[in-house]
């Protein structure tokens, strides 16, 4: 079986994979990092979003082997020990989740969005940018609020 | 997904050799179409030839009134490119309307054009702007490239290397998107260059993207939305599906074309 090496949340990892192994399977099944979720497996829902070299991508639609040498960040890589990342904290504070299934993808998408569009995000921008992230519970309202607040908090911290 | 052998060539020549050797193989670019198709077992390539290491297939150049975009350039790069925004703003806007941010972070122009999905956006831009599709073997005018549903003039294992778009005087793209899939139910790209006007329609035709020659003729003599008053698109040859029937799509083509003409810049 081929092997693949990449950096996940700052740690170098290597694993044997089938050529078909998706990045999300490598993360969840080989590395046992189950924070990244599979909601649809058809590239629609965004539950599986992680960062590859800083870009938010759907890990259910990426081959593990394509990530050779890449720097991958998952939801597990955001917090600093017990201290939540400001975007995670904002989701908690604003009640931006109910069941929490979509939350890892929402947060990874939101963090990349702040990197691209800055700390002052209006509602329209946030809603447009969440086009690829589906939530079955919240109705989005508090997610949008959480992202706006999280973006501000990330700016205050920097 | 069925099993396959994985290759990651370092040069276009090596990719072409691999593609030639494995007749049932497939090139992999962003994977945003190919991987979902393989997961549904609608495609079962024997070999995957991953183009992601081919750095010389990325990049955008604007020279002598032509915008050339290399095949592996991602949608996000085109959408944000200051050069594209300046030369052909409609093209940058189109790239920014594809799918969602994560899809735009992976999906490539070459993959989109090679795939020729009847609801994809780039094929409309290629036709309306009179683009040329360059491959490792030859250069193909857009008018000869898009052959039918998911069908192009590409030969077995032929690799798109870049696409060049002559800069128009004015252009605009209007998309009526399916809110669930984000693909076009109808998309109309209008471009004016000198006395020439092109109108390309995606999302609607039962054999893929096409040019609306009646609209083009009317707009050549008078480039204004009013010139399309009384012109109508026939529903014959248009798709009917659960999202929209052919009559509705025909109507939308007229509406989107007028909006595109009015917004062209
Ligand atoms: C949720 C979602 C929403 C989407 N919404 C839209 C939308 O609104 N509008 C739209 O236009 N598209 C949309 N897409 C499709 C997206 O734009 C894809 O990126 C694109 O169609 C294919 O590009 P790719 O680089 O991902 O190609 P891949 O999936 O890697 O390849 C697609 C096909 O092209 C071939 N190919 C790839 N590169 C080359 C090359 N250089 N030379 C020859 N052949 C090549 C492959 O062999 C394969 O057959 C969406 C996709 C998803 C998952
Ligand atoms: S699980 Fe990847 S997009 Fe839904
Ligand atoms: S909180 Fe349940 S899916 Fe979003």
């Amino acid at each position: 079986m081929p092997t693949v090496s990449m950096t996940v949340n700052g740690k170098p990892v290597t694993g044997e994979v089938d050529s078909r192994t998706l990045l999300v399977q490598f993360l969840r099944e080989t590395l046992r990092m189950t924070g990244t979720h599979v909601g649809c497996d058809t590239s629609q829902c965004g539950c599986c979003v992680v960062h590859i070299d800083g870009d938010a991508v759907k890990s259910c639609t990426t081959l593990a082997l394509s990530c050779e040498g890449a720097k991958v960040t998952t939801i597990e890589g955001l917090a600093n020990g017990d201290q939540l990342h400001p975007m995670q904290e904002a989701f908690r504070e604003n009640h931006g989740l109910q069941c929490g299934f979509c939350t890892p993808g929402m947060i990874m998408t939101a963090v990349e969005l702040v990197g691209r569009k800055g700390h002052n995000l209006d509602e329209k921008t946030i809603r447009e940018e969440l086009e690829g992230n589906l939530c079955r519970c919240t109705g989005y309202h508090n997610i949008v609020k959480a992202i706006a607040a999280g973006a501000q908090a990330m700016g205050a911290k920097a | 997904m069925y099993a396959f052998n994985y290759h990651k060539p370092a040069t276009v020549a090596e990719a072409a050799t691999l593609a030639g050797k494995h007749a049932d193989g497939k090139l992999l670019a962003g994977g945003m179409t190919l991987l979902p198709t393989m997961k549904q077992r609608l495609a079962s390539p024997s070999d995957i030839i991953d183009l992601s290491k081919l750095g010389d297939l990325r990049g955008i150049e604007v020279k002598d009134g032509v915008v050339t975009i290399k095949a592996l350039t991602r949608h996000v790069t085109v959408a944000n490119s200051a050069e594209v925004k300046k030369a052909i703003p409609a093209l940058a806007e189109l790239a920014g309307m594809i799918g969602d941010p994560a899809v735009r972070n992976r999906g490539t122009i070459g993959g989109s054009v090679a795939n020729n999905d009847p609801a994809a956006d780039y094929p409309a831009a290629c036709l309306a702007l009179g683009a040329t599709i360059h491959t490792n073997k030859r250069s193909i005018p857009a008018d000869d490239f898009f052959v039918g549903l998911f069908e192009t003039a590409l030969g077995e294992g032929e690799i798109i290397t870049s696409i060049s778009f002559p800069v128009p005087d004015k252009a605009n793209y209007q998309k009526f998107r399916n809110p669930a899939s984000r693909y076009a139910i109808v998309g109309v790209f209008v471009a004016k260059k000198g006395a020439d006007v092109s109108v390309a329609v995606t999302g609607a035709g039962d054999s893929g993207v096409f040019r609306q020659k009646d609209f083009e003729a009317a707009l050549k003599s008078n480039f204004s939305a009013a010139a399309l008053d009384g012109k109508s698109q026939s529903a014959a040859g248009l798709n009917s599906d659960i999202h929209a029937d052919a009559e509705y799509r025909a109507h939308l083509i007229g509406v989107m074309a007028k909006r595109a003409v009015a917004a062209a810049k």
Side-chain angles (χ1 to χ4, degrees), chain A residues 37-49 58-61 132, chain B residues 39:
Chain A
H37 293 167
V38 177
C40 64
D41 209 16
T42 56
S43 322
Q44 314 274 337
C45 75
C47 287
C48 64
V49 168
K58 294 176 178 176
S59 61
C60 76
T61 315
Chain B
K39 289 208 279 188

Side-chain angles (χ1 to χ4, degrees), chain A:
Chain A
M1 284 222 286
T3 59
V4 65
S5 302
M6 62 185 89
T7 308
V8 177
N9 300 330
K11 284 199 207 90
V13 296
T14 298
E16 278 200 346
V17 291
D18 188 304
S19 56
R20 292 173 275 190
T21 305
L22 300 166
L23 177 60
V24 71
Q25 292 171 315
F26 181 69
L27 294 170
R28 290 179 56 88
E29 293 164 23
T30 309
L31 303 180
R32 308 299 296 168
M33 294 171 62
T34 53
T36 304
H37 293 167
V38 177
C40 64
D41 209 16
T42 56
S43 322
Q44 314 274 337
C45 75
C47 287
C48 64
V49 168
V50 301
H51 298 177
I52 300 180
D53 297 326
D55 296 324
V57 305
K58 294 176 178 176
S59 61
C60 76
T61 315
T62 305
L63 295 177
L65 285 174
S66 297
C67 301
E68 177 67 39
K71 287 196 174 63
V72 175
T73 308
T74 70
I75 188 74
E76 288 96 339
L78 291 187
N80 182 6
D82 283 346
Q83 198 191 350
L84 291 180
H85 181 279
M87 190 59 78
Q88 291 174 304
E89 186 57 39
F91 269 70
R92 197 180 70 86
E93 199 59 38
N94 289 281
H95 206 138
L97 59 146
Q98 288 180 22
C99 79
F101 198 85
C102 68
T103 315
M106 289 285 177
I107 291 181
M108 297 313 285
T109 299
V111 169
E112 192 234 26
L113 163 61
V114 174
R116 269 187 298 120
K117 299 220 159 151
H119 301 286
N120 295 313
L121 299 173
D122 59 32
E123 180 182 339
K124 182 164 175 280
T125 305
I126 296 172
R127 285 186 184 272
E128 265 173 21
E129 292 281 338
L130 287 184
E131 201 102 60
N133 291 80
L134 303 181
C135 175
R136 307 265 69 181
C137 306
T138 64
Y140 301 97
H141 188 73
N142 286 353
I143 292 178
V144 174
K145 260 172 58 185
I147 292 176
Q152 292 287 344
M154 283 170 68
K157 198 184 149 224

Side-chain angles (χ1 to χ4, degrees), chain B residues 18-182:
Chain B
L18 283 165
K21 209 159 79 188
H22 303 289
D24 294 327
K26 276 261 182 209
L27 303 168
L28 176 72
M32 290 295 109
T33 295
L34 184 54
L35 292 175
T37 315
M38 288 167 63
K39 289 208 279 188
Q40 290 176 288
R41 298 191 167 181
L42 295 172
S44 51
S46 61
D47 291 76
I48 282 290
I49 301 155
D50 186 344
L51 304 178
S52 62
K53 271 267 136 44
L54 307 183
D56 53 349
L57 287 193
R58 282 177 221 282
I60 297 171
E61 189 185 58
V62 182
K63 216 170 98 188
D64 303 332
V66 177
V67 175
T68 301
I69 304 180
K70 292 191 179 167
L72 284 183
T73 309
R74 298 172 305 153
H75 306 327
V76 63
T77 311
V78 175
N80 293 335
S81 160
E83 287 162 292
V84 178
K85 280 185 189 167
K86 188 161 164 251
I88 316 181
L91 191 59
E93 281 164 23
L94 173 148
M97 286 184 223
I98 297 176
D100 58 57
V103 167
R104 297 195 287 274
N105 275 342
R106 292 295 279 186
T108 69
I109 189 169
S112 176
V113 169
N115 196 52
N116 192 20
D117 187 303
D121 299 303
Y122 270 127
C126 290
L127 267 195
L129 293 167
T132 303
I133 290 90
H134 306 279
T135 76
N136 58 328
K137 299 201 172 117
R138 57 196 167 131
S139 294
I140 311 165
D143 275 323
D144 301 334
F145 183 84
F146 300 103
V147 177
L149 286 186
F150 298 101
E151 244 188 274
T152 67
L154 288 174
E156 287 290 332
E158 191 169 0
I159 302 173
I160 300 180
T161 51
S162 68
I163 298 161
S164 51
F165 299 90
V167 175
D169 302 340
K170 283 180 174 187
N172 189 256
Y173 180 60
Q174 292 288 325
K175 173 176 181 178
F176 191 86
R177 50 173 22 190
N178 175 329
S181 78
R182 283 127 10 221

